[in-house]
Structure formats: C-alpha cells, structure tokens
Amino acid sequence: MICMHGHTGHAHIWDEFAEVMSTHYHVYALDQRGHGGSDWTTDGYARERFVEDLASFMDALSLDKTALVGLSMGGWNALLYAYNEPDRVKSIIIVDIAPERSEVAKEEQANRGPSPLEFYRFEEAYAWSRLGNPWATDARLRKDLAQKIVQRPNGKWAWKADPALFKTSLPDNQDPEYIAQYWRCLEAITCPILEVRGKESSLLSDNIIERMKRANPMFRSVDVDGAGHVVTVDKPQEFIAVTREFLGAFP
C-alpha cells in the first residue's frame, strides 16, 4: 500500500491508518516532492512530475498489485498512475477529492487569503491552523502542525514544504483540460475505487459524487461525519473504520 498526502501536507497524516493497516499490508507513506522531509525540486511541481515520482518509486521497489491511497492531490496522483498502469494497481482510495470541485468550493477559494509563510511562535501557527480546522482534537492538530513546520535559525517557524507550493494555485481543479483528464481516468479505471469524503468539507458536492458513480460502476463513496478536508487528521479512527471492509483489513 502506498499512501500519498495532499498539497503542502506530509506523510504523517497517515500515522494511525498506516499502523493499523501494517498488519494487512506493507505500507509506504510518502513525503512527495517538495513536501515534508523530501527535497525541494528544481524541475517544478507539474502534476506529471508527481506521477513520474510514484512510478519511479514503484519501479525501484518492484511493487505490483498495490493499493493506492491518496488525499486531495494524492488522490489525483493515484488516479493518473492507475490510468497509466492499470495492471499494477489493486485498489484505490481517494480522500475528499474529485475530478472537479463544487461551486461552493470555488467561491470559498476565491475569497480565501494567502497562507502566512512564517510565524513568530509555534502557538501562533497553531492558532492560525485552528481557525481553519475546528474538527481535529487539540493533540492531533498539534501533532500535524509539528510535522508541517520547522523552526529556522532566526527563531521563526516556517513550513517544511517548498514556499513555491504556497504561491501558486493548483490548476488541476480549474483548468478544463485537467478536469477532463481526471474524468477520463475515472471512467477508464477497472479496479475498485472508494471515495472517503469529509462531511464538513465543501470540496465535493452530492452532485459530483453522483456523477462519479455514474462514470464508473466500480466507484463507491462514504462520508465521515465531523471531518473536514484532511479526514485522516480530523477523524483518524473513523477513517480506519470506513476503509476496513473495502481493503479487506478486518480486526
């Protein structure tokens, strides 16, 4: 199993999930290029580069018949790879992501201000993070933040992810060519696909979920109550509970 985080995220969003699934799978949770402990890249962050990285990782370890689990942009990466290499993917879980976003999410994105790139204190960063996430426990949100930021020699706290990732909006859910590409992938994939949606997230509308079901008979979806976009941080145990049956990972 390979788990891939979302934009500006990190591999530790999967900690609870990976620990449970490790009795059923050999789990790899990746810090994708420019994120977490991985190097900032010199050849950009186009979606194709992430998919090439995934392919190189699987080739280097001779992985086959792999379950791919991806949150947000990690879900896009999983869909694209499975479209290119259908025989090497056993199943897919995509978390709170779709070929396109809801109309509500479009409006929210247009009104959202830029993320601050530095904080004077860890508690300042925590307070900013809490403003956008009322669902995660205090302990889990602090753990998530501790993996996202690092204290610089000047005493300030900054994101581990490449600052370039915060300065450029993702074209994937805006560019019609990207959107059409993801719908083609979804329609063509023949392995089982599970969508796990955060019930409090506005990214996916019921209409989009229904369109995804019509696009692929192997697609099913489930909601996690009380979770926003990063379901595995907001409700880690609930995420495990709703994915066990799909993965054949019973206690």
Side-chain angles (χ1 to χ4, degrees):
M1 175 185 288
I2 298 177
C3 300
M4 294 171 285
H5 57 75
H7 185 66
T8 71
H10 56 87
H12 290 280
I13 67 164
W14 306 105
D15 281 357
E16 296 90 345
F17 175 71
E19 182 176 358
V20 171
M21 291 302 153
S22 65
T23 61
H24 305 276
Y25 291 84
H26 188 137
V27 183
Y28 299 93
L30 308 183
D31 274 335
Q32 297 173 94
R33 62 166 52 207
H35 295 76
S38 291
D39 291 340
W40 298 354
T41 184
T42 58
D43 60 348
Y45 296 102
R47 184 63 46 227
E48 293 78 8
R49 302 291 85 76
F50 286 93
V51 180
E52 290 167 2
D53 291 345
L54 176 58
S56 296
F57 181 81
M58 292 185 65
D59 288 346
L61 296 181
S62 299
L63 301 182
D64 203 2
K65 293 300 178 184
T66 301
L68 298 180
V69 185
L71 182 140
S72 198
M73 75 157 194
W76 287 329
N77 299 341
L79 291 176
L80 290 170
Y81 180 83
Y83 178 80
N84 293 334
E85 298 285 351
D87 295 334
R88 300 183 70 178
V89 181
K90 177 182 179 181
S91 60
I92 303 171
I93 295 177
I94 52 177
V95 186
D96 210 61
I97 198 66
E100 58 186 281
R101 57 185 169 170
S102 71
E103 293 302 316
V104 172
K106 291 178 185 178
E107 293 179 11
E108 290 178 349
Q109 180 64 38
N111 296 323
R112 186 176 300 140
S115 300
L117 297 181
E118 290 185 327
F119 302 91
Y120 285 100
R121 297 180 300 113
F122 183 91
E123 290 302 320
E124 180 188 355
Y126 173 78
W128 182 84
S129 297
R130 179 54 87 186
L131 285 174
N133 185 341
W135 308 290
T137 65
D138 180 73
R140 192 60 181 88
L141 190 60
R142 287 180 180 277
K143 176 184 175 181
D144 181 60
L145 183 61
Q147 295 294 338
K148 279 184 176 178
I149 63 176
V150 63
Q151 192 169 26
R152 302 298 188 198
N154 64 3
K156 294 182 180 180
W157 293 82
W159 303 109
K160 289 182 181 179
D162 188 339
L165 293 164
F166 293 87
K167 297 175 182 179
T168 305
S169 60
L170 294 174
D172 303 77
N173 51 21
Q174 302 178 62
D175 188 319
E177 291 187 11
Y178 273 100
I179 293 171
Q181 175 182 234
Y182 291 129
W183 281 113
R184 287 196 299 271
C185 289
L186 181 65
E187 291 169 355
I189 290 171
T190 56
C191 70
I193 308 171
L194 176 67
E195 171 83 59
V196 181
R197 179 173 62 165
K199 189 67 173 177
E200 306 303 324
S201 172
S202 63
L203 196 63
L204 278 68
S205 65
D206 290 344
N207 177 59
I208 290 175
I209 292 291
E210 290 304 314
R211 287 174 60 194
M212 294 173 80
K213 290 178 179 177
R214 292 195 297 269
N216 190 321
M218 299 296 286
F219 175 89
R220 54 179 286 206
S221 69
V222 62
D223 292 345
V224 174
D225 291 335
H229 183 53
V230 187
V231 182
T232 58
V233 169
D234 296 348
K235 291 289 181 285
Q237 298 307 319
E238 290 82 349
F239 179 80
I240 293 166
V242 301
T243 55
R244 275 190 184 277
E245 180 181 358
F246 177 78
L247 292 168
F250 299 103

